[in-house]
Amino acid sequence: MSIKIGSKAYAERIQDGIDNSFMRKAVSSAQGRFRTGRLKAAEELGDWEDWRTLGEEIRSHTMENLDYYLHQLSEEVEKRGGTVFFAETAEEANAYVQEIAKKKQAKKVVKSKSMVTEEIGLNEALAESGCEVVESDLGEWILQLDEDPPSHIVTPALHKNKEQIRETFVKKKGYTKSDDPVELAAFAREQLRQDFLSADIGVTGCNFAVAESGAVTLVTNEGNARMVTSLPDTQISVMGMERIVPTWEDLEVVVSLLTRAAVGQKLTSYITALTGTRLEDEVDGPEDFHLVIVDNGRSKILGTEFQSALHCIRCAACINACPVYRHVGGHSYGSIYPGPIGAVLTPLLDGYEDHKELPYASSLCAACTEACPVKIPLHEHLIMHREIIVERERMNAKSEEIMMKGFAKWASTPAAYKMSTKMARTALKPWTKDEHIENGPGPLKGWTDQRDFPAPPKKSFREWYKHREERRNG
Amino acid sequence: MKVSLFITCLCDTITPDVGKDTVQLLERFGCEVDFPVGQTCCGQPAYNSGYKSESAKAMKQMIKAFEPSEFVVGPSGSCVQMIKEYPKVLKDEPEWRERAGRLAEKTYELTQFLVDVLKIENVGSTFKGTATYHPSCHMTRLLGVKDAPRILLENVEGLNLIDLPLKEDCCGFGGTFAVKNSAISGEMVQEKAEHIGETKADYLIGGDMGCLMNMGGRLRRNKQEVKVLHIAQVLNSQ
């Protein structure tokens, strides 16, 4: 896998999403739960806006000084027996992990959820090297069995319900019990336990690395990250280069924001912090620890108007608040990063060619910006992308460009503007019935495909006003 | 107090009655109203579509038109918010940026002007009926006008205001989004129409013509008998 998922065109993906009533129901109810949870958690804190400001300050300070903190982090990791590898590209990161797998003669790799390894396609790379890769996050495990990409960055299998999950377990793992979530989870646990015990390498993502101590921290509700990091002798953590905080105090703030903004939890069940390799008097932990810090396009974002997109702490609050996401689901975005943050991040990391529609898949209602716990102005980023698509990349439709040039002329020439408001009714007359247009021409078609358009009345406001002034002045 | 009307392009062309109510409402409270004829469209359709230089042309025309005005008041949260963005959009042209800043500073959305500037919380109107109110996205989230419309509506005699479920959700208008992403927008406005239906209200009230046209058009398509009104029409009702 890479950032891009599937090969269908945008319009087709959107229609698939809209037609999937099963998925939409699941997404809508999850969004409802997450949203209520987030608002409740914010209310409990009382000073949510102050927390957001603090979160923004930490993230922006870290990005402004990223080189310093990356250097500090790598020094600290190495001091504690770990090895750090800076990968500029996905290929470099994968090759490095493949090399370790080869050295260790690894047959089985067990993983704890990581979006960045999805982004770089690490599973496929390891499979090519002859390693069996087992996802240990319940959602990811289900998707792996089903050969389905994630549709959400926190709850990757959000688009599936328990009946579908049961069916997957029956088909792929010989499951025989009911669709009761407790039974389904117990079955997954039993299956995964074997994998944890027999894995040669554990691979994890990284919610945040703490620069001052070289610790990699993981936030989970299932405890699977603890298994992945304490059982196999070799551990590899893969992180995007922006997933870093300067100190433990900063970690406390961003984790508090993350769990509250994501699902309304004060904290998750587990926050695991891993520092270096197993010491002589310790009973568990890896003998060999590698931290792979992935750039893959991120450094290109630094110093640009999009820098704050790197502040993202992957809480998915924007996704959970987005009405577009609710109706089309995560797969419609064609990217492993869906929703508003996905629409901002995906073209930055993977270019506009395959993702030029994403910045337009938003009504700019700013629910995402309002929900973001670190105050990323997501809707403004979407407008900036649109500007780049039009003015720099010139990927806009010619017909649209002609229309917008016409708009500029119209809106900067009051006489033409006045004339058009006067003429609008006459011009639309052929399509008008009962003071409405139900099947409009040209650009009106998109409108009337979904709703009626009111016909302009006989007199525009400015005509009425002019007559009124004339009457008044005698 | 001298007030220049900012009658948005939709209001001018499609719903002139909303403009008339705006005029009467402001005059009722002693404002000396004028309508600068050089005004056109705020430029938002081009700006939000990525056509920055095209939108700048519309913006400069608006800046020129309202330059002599003391206050500029418009019956649309979204279009007023666009004017607030002018200095940012024109940031690379210092002279225009400054002129844009002056316009942004003196421009208000109608209910915001009534409550914050004229200090009126009760316009003394009477409107008999059951209604629900949709707080449009740009007005509430970006312009930050949340309380003014609610305060004014709550003081309208005879008006029974019912809360709209998930009111803060976008109706799916989004300017060109409604045309460009017609299918998604259709699903969004359908959900909104269902919520409006759940309230069993006779009227839907809003402060932005774009959103009202979108919701009204879908309600009509669905044959839902809900009358759509701009807040100026309710506040000017006797």
Side-chain angles (χ1 to χ4, degrees):
Chain A
M1 203 173 293
S2 62
I3 294 178
K4 190 182 171 195
I5 51 170
S7 55
K8 283 185 177 175
Y10 172 74
E12 206 181 335
R13 297 196 310 260
I14 292 295
Q15 203 51 53
D16 284 352
I18 288 175
D19 292 342
N20 189 345
S21 56
F22 216 59
M23 173 279 291
R24 286 176 60 181
K25 224 173 133 189
V27 170
S28 168
S29 101
Q31 268 199 338
R33 284 195 311 276
F34 293 153
R35 190 184 337 201
T36 318
R38 176 173 62 82
L39 294 174
K40 213 173 134 233
E43 203 177 302
E44 272 171 14
L45 271 178
D47 45 6
W48 182 243
E49 285 310 307
D50 294 345
W51 275 84
R52 285 180 84 205
T53 307
L54 191 55
E56 184 194 20
E57 279 168 10
I58 292 171
R59 294 304 287 148
S60 121
H61 167 82
T62 311
M63 286 315 117
E64 295 294 336
N65 302 285
L66 192 57
D67 51 350
Y68 173 83
Y69 288 117
L70 283 171
H71 180 71
Q72 188 185 17
L73 173 70
S74 61
E75 298 254 294
E76 294 301 322
V77 169
E78 281 170 3
K79 245 190 241 173
R80 289 163 178 79
T83 310
V84 178
F85 179 72
F86 282 93
E88 203 183 319
T89 61
E91 291 73 25
E92 278 180 25
N94 289 336
Y96 181 78
V97 178
Q98 281 173 316
E99 191 55 36
I100 298 171
K102 206 170 128 193
K103 260 194 219 148
K104 304 279 169 184
Q105 294 176 316
K107 296 271 171 298
K108 186 182 273 188
V109 173
V110 67
K111 276 182 71 195
S112 173
K113 186 182 177 257
S114 154
M115 289 304 290
V116 71
T117 57
E118 297 274 356
E119 176 190 319
I120 63 176
L122 180 66
N123 284 12
E124 287 79 357
L126 281 169
E128 268 172 36
S129 308
C131 279
E132 184 196 353
V133 181
V134 182
E135 293 287 350
S136 69
D137 171 271
L138 181 56
E140 286 284 337
W141 191 61
I142 294 161
L143 294 182
Q144 188 180 35
L145 292 178
D146 228 9
E147 292 167 46
D148 197 15
S151 72
H152 188 277
I153 60 176
V154 172
T155 46
L158 182 77
H159 56 290
K160 290 189 186 299
N161 67 9
K162 56 185 185 188
E163 288 83 11
Q164 286 175 316
I165 293 166
R166 179 185 179 269
E167 208 173 299
T168 302
F169 284 6
V170 170
K171 241 190 259 166
K172 300 288 169 75
K173 287 280 174 186
Y175 179 70
T176 52
K177 292 185 178 171
S178 77
D179 60 16
D180 174 8
V182 175
E183 284 191 342
L184 289 170
F187 176 74
R189 187 177 297 128
E190 189 187 298
Q191 294 275 317
L192 283 168
R193 202 55 52 115
Q194 301 310 314
D195 294 317
F196 288 130
L197 289 166
S198 57
D200 306 297
I201 295 177
V203 172
T204 76
C206 165
N207 282 93
F208 301 100
V210 183
E212 69 173 354
S213 66
V216 166
T217 66
L218 295 155
V219 178
T220 72
N221 269 321
E222 297 166 20
N224 55 319
R226 289 155 57 103
M227 300 285 201
V228 169
T229 55
S230 54
L231 291 171
D233 285 336
T234 303
Q235 190 208 325
I236 306 169
S237 289
V238 186
M239 64 180 267
M241 64 187 271
E242 81 286 12
R243 306 305 298 276
I244 186 170
V245 287
T247 65
W248 287 107
E249 283 77 14
D250 297 324
L251 179 78
E252 188 197 337
V253 176
V254 290
V255 170
S256 294
L257 285 168
L258 169 66
T259 56
R260 282 180 167 92
V263 285
Q265 287 178 317
K266 280 185 189 154
L267 280 179
T268 52
S269 310
Y270 301 91
I271 296 174
T272 310
L274 311 148
T275 314
T277 49
R278 185 194 299 180
L279 299 177
E280 268 177 33
D281 56 348
E282 288 176 338
V283 290
D284 61 9
E287 283 167 6
D288 197 9
F289 170 65
H290 299 262
L291 179 61
V292 181
I293 301 176
V294 179
D295 183 333
N296 204 26
R298 286 161 175 78
S299 55
K300 277 188 308 194
I301 306 172
L302 284 171
T304 71
E305 62 267 57
F306 292 106
Q307 180 163 304
S308 67
L310 293 174
H311 295 181
C312 177
I313 59 170
R314 303 289 191 270
C315 68
C318 62
I319 299 177
N320 299 337
C322 179
V324 169
Y325 179 90
R326 173 159 74 252
H327 292 290
V328 302
H331 288 165
S332 295
Y333 291 80
S335 161
I336 59 153
Y337 299 116
I341 185 62
V344 169
L345 212 50
T346 307
L348 292 173
L349 295 177
D350 201 32
Y352 290 99
E353 194 56 49
D354 288 329
H355 311 285
K356 65 178 184 297
E357 286 94 354
L358 292 187
Y360 293 93
S362 163
S363 65
L364 304 178
C365 76
C368 48
T369 302
E370 184 183 62
C372 178
V374 290
K375 295 210 259 188
I376 305 171
L378 289 156
H379 74 283
E380 288 179 21
H381 281 342
L382 292 174
I383 296 175
M384 282 193 291
H385 269 314
R386 294 177 189 190
E387 260 172 53
I388 291 172
I389 288 168
V390 169
E391 296 193 342
R392 193 189 76 198
E393 301 288 322
R394 312 207 52 86
M395 285 175 158
N396 48 330
K398 261 273 142 308
S399 57
E400 186 185 80
E401 187 170 315
I402 291 166
M403 215 158 70
M404 289 300 175
K405 289 215 181 308
F407 169 86
K409 189 88 195 141
W410 171 73
S412 57
T413 321
Y417 179 88
K418 186 178 145 196
M419 182 63 84
S420 71
T421 60
K422 205 170 168 175
M423 300 292 289
R425 183 179 173 85
T426 319
L428 289 170
K429 203 155 186 187
W431 294 276
T432 306
K433 208 178 90 186
D434 193 18
E435 294 302 311
H436 281 84
I437 297 155
E438 293 177 4
N439 198 357
L444 254 188
K445 194 183 172 306
W447 182 277
T448 56
D449 276 351
Q450 297 294 340
R451 48 193 111 50
D452 296 343
F453 189 80
K458 283 188 188 106
K459 255 188 203 165
S460 69
F461 174 84
R462 62 182 62 216
E463 286 175 276
W464 170 83
Y465 193 85
K466 191 169 168 242
H467 288 155
R468 186 179 105 127
E469 291 296 284
E470 284 166 359
R471 277 199 311 274
R472 280 190 165 182
N473 301 331
Chain B
M1 195 175 281
K2 282 190 173 165
V3 173
S4 292
L5 296 164
F6 164 31
I7 300 298
T8 69
C9 57
L10 282 183
C11 185
D12 188 5
T13 319
I14 313 278
T15 56
D17 285 348
V18 172
K20 292 176 207 171
D21 285 308
T22 304
V23 174
Q24 287 164 4
L25 201 53
L26 290 167
E27 286 181 345
R28 190 136 59 86
F29 293 102
C31 295
E32 198 183 312
V33 170
D34 77 316
F35 177 76
V37 291
Q39 66 180 282
T40 58
C41 168
C42 68
Q44 190 169 179
Y47 179 66
N48 281 356
S49 302
Y51 292 82
K52 193 170 163 184
S53 48
E54 277 71 19
S55 72
K57 288 182 183 152
M59 291 173 190
K60 288 176 182 172
Q61 179 58 37
M62 293 289 280
I63 293 168
K64 279 191 269 177
F66 288 109
E67 204 116 62
S69 304
E70 193 182 330
F71 286 101
V72 178
V73 176
S76 162
S78 184
C79 308
V80 165
Q81 169 58 28
M82 186 70 246
I83 290 184
K84 302 276 185 199
E85 298 280 309
Y86 284 11
K88 200 177 80 190
V89 183
L90 297 168
K91 67 177 188 308
D92 299 330
E93 299 175 74
E95 193 212 319
W96 280 108
R97 184 189 60 212
E98 211 176 290
R99 291 167 76 180
R102 284 198 291 271
L103 173 59
E105 231 168 80
K106 65 185 179 189
T107 304
Y108 293 84
E109 182 274 331
L110 175 63
T111 64
Q112 182 187 34
F113 184 72
L114 289 171
V115 175
D116 294 352
V117 181
L118 297 182
K119 308 285 178 200
I120 294 160
E121 298 203 339
N122 187 341
V123 291
S125 63
T126 304
F127 183 93
K128 290 211 162 39
T130 302
T132 190
Y133 175 76
H134 167 75
S136 45
C137 304
H138 286 188
M139 176 127 112
T140 52
R141 291 205 187 94
L142 303 185
L143 192 59
V145 177
K146 287 182 181 149
D147 298 334
R150 192 183 45 79
I151 293 169
L152 293 167
L153 287 175
E154 278 171 2
N155 287 322
V156 171
E157 209 185 309
L159 181 68
N160 177 21
L161 212 55
I162 299 170
D163 208 28
L164 181 64
L166 294 182
K167 57 176 183 281
E168 68 280 8
D169 273 18
C170 176
C171 72
F173 173 59
T176 51
F177 174 78
V179 174
K180 212 171 167 145
N181 270 291
S182 173
I184 307 174
S185 167
E187 296 303 313
M188 288 161 72
V189 70
Q190 175 58 24
E191 188 183 357
K192 188 58 81 176
E194 286 165 16
H195 289 317
I196 295 165
E198 282 167 34
T199 66
K200 304 224 186 315
D202 298 317
Y203 298 93
L204 167 70
I205 303 170
D208 267 288
M209 273 332 299
C211 314
L212 288 174
M213 261 173 54
N214 179 43
M215 292 181 286
R218 186 65 179 213
L219 290 166
R220 188 177 187 272
R221 180 68 54 94
N222 289 351
K223 299 195 171 29
Q224 284 175 260
E225 292 195 358
V226 181
K227 289 175 210 74
V228 176
L229 290 173
H230 188 277
I231 191 163
Q233 294 173 292
V234 180
L235 297 180
N236 193 39
S237 170
Q238 292 297 326

